[in-house]
Amino acid sequence: MDRYAVLGNPVKHSRSPRIHQLFAQQLGIDMEYRSIHVELGSFTDTVRHFFLAGGRGVNITVPFKQEAFQLAEVHSQRALRAEAVNTLLLGKNNLYYGDNTDGVGLLRDLKRLSFPLQGRRILLLGAGGAARGVLAPLLEAGPAEVTVVNRDAGRAALLAHAFSDLGKVRSAAYGDLSGSYPVIINATSASLSGELPPLPEHILTQGGYAYDMMYGAQPTIFMHWALQAGAAEVHDGLGMLVEQAAEAFFLWRHQRPDTAPVLAQLRAELVV
Ligand code: NDP
């Protein structure tokens, strides 16, 4: 049986095994996908062992995406841009091929949700791994501009500079934000600890769109904030999670699962 896994620390709560199980069921494939808790310092050994034992592919989550990037011998363009790898497989000549499906996952979900991106000003909160992974496809969607804002404004400036060849991207500190944005995407981990980024009042255009990459059984604190700020559409990152998984599945098996029923199933299971 073909074997796959998600590697992380912590990884116990990962929804990836369930998502890939649903993909496999849908396509009538007999495969195994499990989660592996990896101790810090043993990521490379774990990956090598998994593939030597016949494993077909792995997903990588916090905090190993940069290590996976180092381990990969061949990179996709999007992994090179993101400087992070969330999907590994053995490619040509048995070389480790690393890709990053987070960005395409977000963009597919935003498309499903009919978020208007083209010609709009987009505010991207955060400058960590998730923000880096989505910036290239966001810029390719043709916004008027993307503003990257971060607590550590220096990190935002570095990120904006690194992607400036792809479109109009600038950085800001929260205190410097002005005007309003019709689209705000939260790529910080603030919601994880029930915190809100320090956003000024009226930063979201009335009737605007808000997206939190975090997800859970209940709307996140950021989603509550956006609704109170007058958003017309507010969504969490569960759809992004399913879409990035579908892209990884496609890389491994060259088959594209239908994500809509899987997302609906996952949502129902989260709420229970
Ligand atoms: P990182 O640790 O790399 O980055 C965290 C970012 O959050 C930094 O920019 C940090 O700012 C910022 N931050 C943390 N706390 C606060 C706060 N209280 N106020 C303002 N900013 C804050 O994390 P990742 O980029 O890997 O992940 C970010 C989020 O995206 C997580 O919640 C993760 O679960 C989610 N995610 C979701 C995915 C999905 O498929 N739905 C995929 C990938 C990620 P600073 O630099 O100033 O410290």
mmCIF file of all heavy atoms in Angstrom, residues 65-82:
data_model
loop_
_atom_site.group_PDB
_atom_site.id
_atom_site.type_symbol
_atom_site.label_atom_id
_atom_site.label_comp_id
_atom_site.label_asym_id
_atom_site.label_seq_id
_atom_site.Cartn_x
_atom_site.Cartn_y
_atom_site.Cartn_z
ATOM 1 N N LYS A 65 9.203 23.544 7.905
ATOM 2 C CA LYS A 65 9.116 23.863 6.471
ATOM 3 C C LYS A 65 10.436 24.396 5.898
ATOM 4 O O LYS A 65 10.751 24.155 4.738
ATOM 5 C CB LYS A 65 7.980 24.857 6.205
ATOM 6 C CG LYS A 65 6.588 24.234 6.401
ATOM 7 C CD LYS A 65 5.485 25.229 6.063
ATOM 8 C CE LYS A 65 4.129 24.663 6.446
ATOM 9 N NZ LYS A 65 3.031 25.588 6.164
ATOM 10 N N GLN A 66 11.192 25.116 6.743
ATOM 11 C CA GLN A 66 12.486 25.627 6.247
ATOM 12 C C GLN A 66 13.503 24.487 6.171
ATOM 13 O O GLN A 66 14.305 24.432 5.231
ATOM 14 C CB GLN A 66 13.028 26.762 7.144
ATOM 15 C CG GLN A 66 12.412 28.122 6.863
ATOM 16 C CD GLN A 66 11.001 28.246 7.415
ATOM 17 O OE1 GLN A 66 10.658 27.612 8.400
ATOM 18 N NE2 GLN A 66 10.166 29.054 6.767
ATOM 19 N N GLU A 67 13.469 23.600 7.130
ATOM 20 C CA GLU A 67 14.377 22.433 7.074
ATOM 21 C C GLU A 67 14.073 21.577 5.857
ATOM 22 O O GLU A 67 14.976 21.028 5.222
ATOM 23 C CB GLU A 67 14.237 21.588 8.347
ATOM 24 C CG GLU A 67 15.217 21.978 9.430
ATOM 25 C CD GLU A 67 15.175 21.015 10.600
ATOM 26 O OE1 GLU A 67 15.761 19.935 10.495
ATOM 27 O OE2 GLU A 67 14.558 21.371 11.621
ATOM 28 N N ALA A 68 12.788 21.452 5.550
ATOM 29 C CA ALA A 68 12.394 20.679 4.363
ATOM 30 C C ALA A 68 12.912 21.368 3.100
ATOM 31 O O ALA A 68 13.315 20.709 2.131
ATOM 32 C CB ALA A 68 10.882 20.526 4.312
ATOM 33 N N PHE A 69 12.930 22.687 3.136
ATOM 34 C CA PHE A 69 13.466 23.449 2.003
ATOM 35 C C PHE A 69 14.951 23.140 1.822
ATOM 36 O O PHE A 69 15.441 22.940 0.703
ATOM 37 C CB PHE A 69 13.248 24.955 2.246
ATOM 38 C CG PHE A 69 13.774 25.828 1.156
ATOM 39 C CD1 PHE A 69 13.082 25.958 -0.036
ATOM 40 C CD2 PHE A 69 14.965 26.528 1.309
ATOM 41 C CE1 PHE A 69 13.563 26.762 -1.060
ATOM 42 C CE2 PHE A 69 15.454 27.331 0.296
ATOM 43 C CZ PHE A 69 14.747 27.449 -0.892
ATOM 44 N N GLN A 70 15.676 23.057 2.943
ATOM 45 C CA GLN A 70 17.113 22.742 2.882
ATOM 46 C C GLN A 70 17.344 21.315 2.389
ATOM 47 O O GLN A 70 18.265 21.050 1.632
ATOM 48 C CB GLN A 70 17.755 22.872 4.279
ATOM 49 C CG GLN A 70 17.630 24.242 4.928
ATOM 50 C CD GLN A 70 18.316 25.327 4.133
ATOM 51 O OE1 GLN A 70 19.249 25.048 3.383
ATOM 52 N NE2 GLN A 70 17.848 26.568 4.255
ATOM 53 N N LEU A 71 16.470 20.426 2.813
ATOM 54 C CA LEU A 71 16.631 19.008 2.468
ATOM 55 C C LEU A 71 16.363 18.751 0.978
ATOM 56 O O LEU A 71 17.021 17.915 0.348
ATOM 57 C CB LEU A 71 15.670 18.178 3.327
ATOM 58 C CG LEU A 71 15.618 16.683 3.057
ATOM 59 C CD1 LEU A 71 16.908 16.023 3.520
ATOM 60 C CD2 LEU A 71 14.448 16.045 3.794
ATOM 61 N N ALA A 72 15.390 19.470 0.427
ATOM 62 C CA ALA A 72 15.017 19.239 -0.970
ATOM 63 C C ALA A 72 16.204 19.517 -1.885
ATOM 64 O O ALA A 72 16.938 20.489 -1.704
ATOM 65 C CB ALA A 72 13.834 20.127 -1.348
ATOM 66 N N GLU A 73 16.390 18.632 -2.885
ATOM 67 C CA GLU A 73 17.508 18.802 -3.828
ATOM 68 C C GLU A 73 17.051 19.507 -5.100
ATOM 69 O O GLU A 73 17.832 20.110 -5.821
ATOM 70 C CB GLU A 73 18.088 17.424 -4.162
ATOM 71 C CG GLU A 73 18.724 16.783 -2.946
ATOM 72 C CD GLU A 73 18.748 15.265 -3.023
ATOM 73 O OE1 GLU A 73 17.679 14.640 -3.056
ATOM 74 O OE2 GLU A 73 19.854 14.713 -3.045
ATOM 75 N N VAL A 74 15.759 19.409 -5.375
ATOM 76 C CA VAL A 74 15.153 20.118 -6.505
ATOM 77 C C VAL A 74 13.926 20.835 -5.947
ATOM 78 O O VAL A 74 13.198 20.259 -5.131
ATOM 79 C CB VAL A 74 14.722 19.123 -7.614
ATOM 80 C CG1 VAL A 74 14.144 19.872 -8.803
ATOM 81 C CG2 VAL A 74 15.882 18.236 -8.032
ATOM 82 N N HIS A 75 13.724 22.095 -6.375
ATOM 83 C CA HIS A 75 12.599 22.874 -5.841
ATOM 84 C C HIS A 75 11.687 23.350 -6.962
ATOM 85 O O HIS A 75 12.160 23.696 -8.040
ATOM 86 C CB HIS A 75 13.100 24.128 -5.103
ATOM 87 C CG HIS A 75 13.977 23.838 -3.945
ATOM 88 N ND1 HIS A 75 15.334 23.609 -4.081
ATOM 89 C CD2 HIS A 75 13.715 23.725 -2.620
ATOM 90 C CE1 HIS A 75 15.855 23.374 -2.888
ATOM 91 N NE2 HIS A 75 14.899 23.431 -1.990
ATOM 92 N N SER A 76 10.396 23.424 -6.666
ATOM 93 C CA SER A 76 9.478 24.103 -7.583
ATOM 94 C C SER A 76 9.757 25.609 -7.499
ATOM 95 O O SER A 76 10.356 26.085 -6.511
ATOM 96 C CB SER A 76 8.030 23.833 -7.183
ATOM 97 O OG SER A 76 7.764 24.458 -5.939
ATOM 98 N N GLN A 77 9.278 26.344 -8.502
ATOM 99 C CA GLN A 77 9.430 27.799 -8.467
ATOM 100 C C GLN A 77 8.777 28.380 -7.220
ATOM 101 O O GLN A 77 9.307 29.266 -6.569
ATOM 102 C CB GLN A 77 8.768 28.428 -9.713
ATOM 103 C CG GLN A 77 9.635 28.406 -10.955
ATOM 104 C CD GLN A 77 10.984 29.078 -10.737
ATOM 105 O OE1 GLN A 77 11.063 30.142 -10.135
ATOM 106 N NE2 GLN A 77 12.048 28.442 -11.190
ATOM 107 N N ARG A 78 7.584 27.852 -6.883
ATOM 108 C CA ARG A 78 6.868 28.444 -5.753
ATOM 109 C C ARG A 78 7.548 28.114 -4.425
ATOM 110 O O ARG A 78 7.488 28.929 -3.498
ATOM 111 C CB ARG A 78 5.385 28.067 -5.752
ATOM 112 C CG ARG A 78 5.076 26.675 -6.183
ATOM 113 C CD ARG A 78 3.616 26.454 -6.467
ATOM 114 N NE ARG A 78 3.371 25.013 -6.384
ATOM 115 C CZ ARG A 78 2.334 24.384 -6.860
ATOM 116 N NH1 ARG A 78 1.389 25.076 -7.454
ATOM 117 N NH2 ARG A 78 2.201 23.090 -6.731
ATOM 118 N N ALA A 79 8.236 26.972 -4.348
ATOM 119 C CA ALA A 79 8.987 26.674 -3.122
ATOM 120 C C ALA A 79 10.201 27.599 -3.020
ATOM 121 O O ALA A 79 10.541 28.084 -1.935
ATOM 122 C CB ALA A 79 9.430 25.215 -3.110
ATOM 123 N N LEU A 80 10.832 27.872 -4.163
ATOM 124 C CA LEU A 80 11.994 28.769 -4.156
ATOM 125 C C LEU A 80 11.584 30.154 -3.674
ATOM 126 O O LEU A 80 12.282 30.790 -2.900
ATOM 127 C CB LEU A 80 12.592 28.874 -5.566
ATOM 128 C CG LEU A 80 13.419 27.672 -6.023
ATOM 129 C CD1 LEU A 80 13.831 27.846 -7.481
ATOM 130 C CD2 LEU A 80 14.643 27.476 -5.132
ATOM 131 N N ARG A 81 10.418 30.617 -4.145
ATOM 132 C CA ARG A 81 9.911 31.922 -3.737
ATOM 133 C C ARG A 81 9.592 31.943 -2.247
ATOM 134 O O ARG A 81 9.883 32.892 -1.539
ATOM 135 C CB ARG A 81 8.631 32.253 -4.520
ATOM 136 C CG ARG A 81 8.871 32.926 -5.821
ATOM 137 C CD ARG A 81 9.283 34.363 -5.576
ATOM 138 N NE ARG A 81 9.682 34.979 -6.822
ATOM 139 C CZ ARG A 81 10.177 36.213 -6.899
ATOM 140 N NH1 ARG A 81 10.341 36.949 -5.830
ATOM 141 N NH2 ARG A 81 10.530 36.706 -8.054
ATOM 142 N N ALA A 82 8.931 30.878 -1.807
ATOM 143 C CA ALA A 82 8.484 30.836 -0.411
ATOM 144 C C ALA A 82 9.649 30.547 0.545
ATOM 145 O O ALA A 82 9.553 30.811 1.739
ATOM 146 C CB ALA A 82 7.406 29.774 -0.251
#
